[in-house]
Amino acid sequence: MQGLISPGSSIRREGRGRTITEEAWIARIVSGDADAFRELVDKYGNYLFQAVYGVLRSTKDAEDVTQEALLKIYASLPQYRYQGLKTWLTRIAVNKAIDFKRSQDRKKEELTDDWEGHSPPEPLQNSPVETQVIRRERSTYVRERLDHLPENYRDVVVAFYIEEKSYQQIAEEQQVAIKTVESKLYRAKQYMRKVWKEEEWE
């Protein structure tokens, strides 16, 4: 499984000239089909590298951690429950990056002789890196597909996912009740879950 990705390669192909359902695709991988897993790496490998790099800010470390994440993904696919593949893959990769960063921070502490008496670094869990990455991913996804969204959903979806406004802010700006915003956004999320099957929309 070594050398699965190279950050400089183009790995965003959308398949090999055939249509296949997500369930059938993953079933092939779980059954040991190496070509099927290569297709997953082709489609998502570079995206996962970029997500990991966003945490580590080191090309070499990001390459190593992405390889580890892909191995973890391969091992974990039998437990996948078809609730948003890209988000599920992102969580595994980002969590791998966070674990690596924590490990590196611990090593630095052990090598620092005069560490005692100093305040420890801010725990990484207080900085929701995973949440930030997924939020950024969803914002990009919405921007790319905005023209395909029903017109009556666009204003609330843009305000919530792209402008990251609260229900209260949206209600005040659109001069409607918060309940109206909640209802409209709920219907928009239902639409996105049904039509944009790639993502979890919460």
Side-chain angles (χ1 to χ4, degrees), residues 12 40 43-55 65-66 69-70 72-73 80 84-98 129-138 141 198-200:
R12 287 197 177 268
L40 184 144
K43 184 170 183 179
Y44 295 111
N46 191 51
Y47 168 79
L48 295 177
F49 169 82
Q50 294 298 335
V52 170
Y53 181 83
V55 177
V65 172
T66 304
L70 289 167
K72 172 69 173 177
I73 287 165
Y80 173 60
L85 180 60
K86 193 173 183 182
T87 298
W88 184 77
L89 297 173
T90 301
R91 284 177 174 156
I92 291 177
V94 171
N95 283 334
K96 275 287 183 183
I98 290 172
V129 180
E130 176 187 341
T131 301
Q132 293 170 15
V133 171
I134 293 174
R135 185 184 298 127
R136 187 165 60 245
E137 168 203 324
R138 288 178 177 174
Y141 198 89
E198 186 66 36
E199 305 294 331
E200 291 180 20

Side-chain angles (χ1 to χ4, degrees), residues 14-88:
E14 293 295 332
R16 306 296 175 91
R18 62 181 181 276
T19 301
I20 184 169
T21 66
E22 180 180 297
E23 290 86 351
W25 187 19
I26 291 173
R28 286 171 54 204
I29 299 172
V30 171
S31 70
D33 187 329
D35 288 339
F37 187 66
R38 173 65 64 179
E39 290 170 11
L40 184 144
V41 175
D42 284 350
K43 184 170 183 179
Y44 295 111
N46 191 51
Y47 168 79
L48 295 177
F49 169 82
Q50 294 298 335
V52 170
Y53 181 83
V55 177
L56 302 179
R57 298 296 175 184
S58 163
T59 299
K60 182 181 183 305
D61 290 343
E63 288 175 358
D64 293 343
V65 172
T66 304
Q67 297 288 350
E68 292 178 12
L70 289 167
L71 293 172
K72 172 69 173 177
I73 287 165
Y74 184 81
S76 301
L77 273 171
Q79 285 76 54
Y80 173 60
R81 293 295 177 262
Y82 304 97
Q83 296 177 333
L85 180 60
K86 193 173 183 182
T87 298
W88 184 77

Side-chain angles (χ1 to χ4, degrees), residues 141 145 149 191-199 201:
Y141 198 89
R145 291 157 180 81
L149 192 66
Y191 173 87
M192 290 186 288
R193 287 192 189 102
K194 182 179 179 181
V195 179
W196 300 350
K197 297 178 182 179
E198 186 66 36
E199 305 294 331
W201 294 94

Side-chain angles (χ1 to χ4, degrees), residues 163-174 178:
E163 298 173 353
E164 297 185 4
K165 294 177 180 177
S166 67
Y167 285 14
Q168 180 69 40
Q169 288 175 299
I170 298 170
E172 290 175 358
E173 290 180 4
Q174 298 185 10
I178 292 179

